[in-house]
Amino acid sequence: MSSERLNNGWVIWATLLIALLLSVAPLPGNLDLIRPLWLGLVAAYWALALPHRGGMVLAWGFGLLLDVLSGTLLGLNGIPLALIVFLVLNLQQRLRMFPLWQQAMVLMVILGIAQLVLLWLNTLAGNRPPTLLFLVPVLPSSILWFWLYLALHWLRRRFDVY
């Protein structure tokens, strides 16, 4: 590989940083309840598109950054993000063959599992939410997958990230 292609890794980092900022940006009223899982979606895209560049360590690190920015226990968001990337990497060959709507359905299941793991970790930490509303962000996330996939695919082609 040429050094030019290796230098375009900043696109991956920039998209993950934007997703991190979107994950902690304040939203008015009850809109925080339907906030998409931006970091999980972007990490899933890079694991799907470039499995050798978007790995579990990167997801774990951004999960720790999300923990620091949101003021939660360290590792509380890192474990579900690493799980998302792990599952996407395991299903990567199949997911790449699926049309986008089927990818969104599979990602809805993966993100739901990650939210259940997050609930389990919150319960272990003593912060169990009283309702099952923590699963609500999974649906908007799977709906946004189509547009996010197209936008990140365009960025990957535009900046020649391989």
Side-chain angles (χ1 to χ4, degrees):
M1 283 193 182
S2 68
S3 62
E4 177 184 343
R5 286 192 177 174
L6 291 177
N7 287 338
N8 286 336
W10 65 268
V11 175
I12 297 171
W13 287 87
T15 56
L16 284 168
L17 280 173
I18 291 170
L20 180 67
L21 292 176
L22 287 172
S23 296
V24 296
L27 293 176
N30 290 334
L31 286 180
D32 194 40
L33 184 64
I34 61 169
R35 177 194 310 264
L37 304 170
W38 292 108
L39 205 50
L41 287 172
V42 173
Y45 172 79
W46 289 116
L48 182 64
L50 301 172
H52 61 283
R53 304 265 317 255
M56 290 174 49
V57 175
L58 191 63
W60 173 263
F62 273 92
L64 290 179
L65 283 174
L66 182 60
D67 290 331
V68 169
L69 290 176
S70 61
T72 59
L73 292 173
L74 285 179
L76 200 62
N77 290 305
I79 293 172
L81 274 175
L83 177 68
I84 290 170
V85 171
F86 173 76
L87 292 173
V88 168
L89 286 174
N90 277 335
L91 298 172
Q92 188 252 354
Q93 294 294 325
R94 292 180 193 157
L95 279 174
R96 289 179 66 111
M97 293 175 45
F98 290 165
L100 284 178
W101 70 270
Q102 284 181 339
Q103 285 180 8
M105 292 298 154
V106 172
L107 274 175
M108 184 167 43
V109 172
I110 291 173
L111 293 173
I113 291 170
Q115 287 295 96
L116 288 173
V117 168
L118 185 62
L119 171 71
W120 178 65
L121 292 172
N122 274 326
T123 303
L124 287 177
N127 301 330
R128 185 179 186 278
T131 63
L132 293 176
L133 290 177
F134 67 92
L135 284 174
V136 172
V138 172
L139 184 63
S141 299
S142 62
I143 291 171
L144 281 176
W145 173 251
F146 179 75
W147 291 282
L148 186 73
Y149 181 90
L150 292 177
L152 290 176
H153 185 72
W154 178 83
L155 273 176
R156 185 171 65 106
R157 296 288 185 209
R158 168 72 173 90
F159 291 105
D160 201 26
V161 180
Y162 287 101

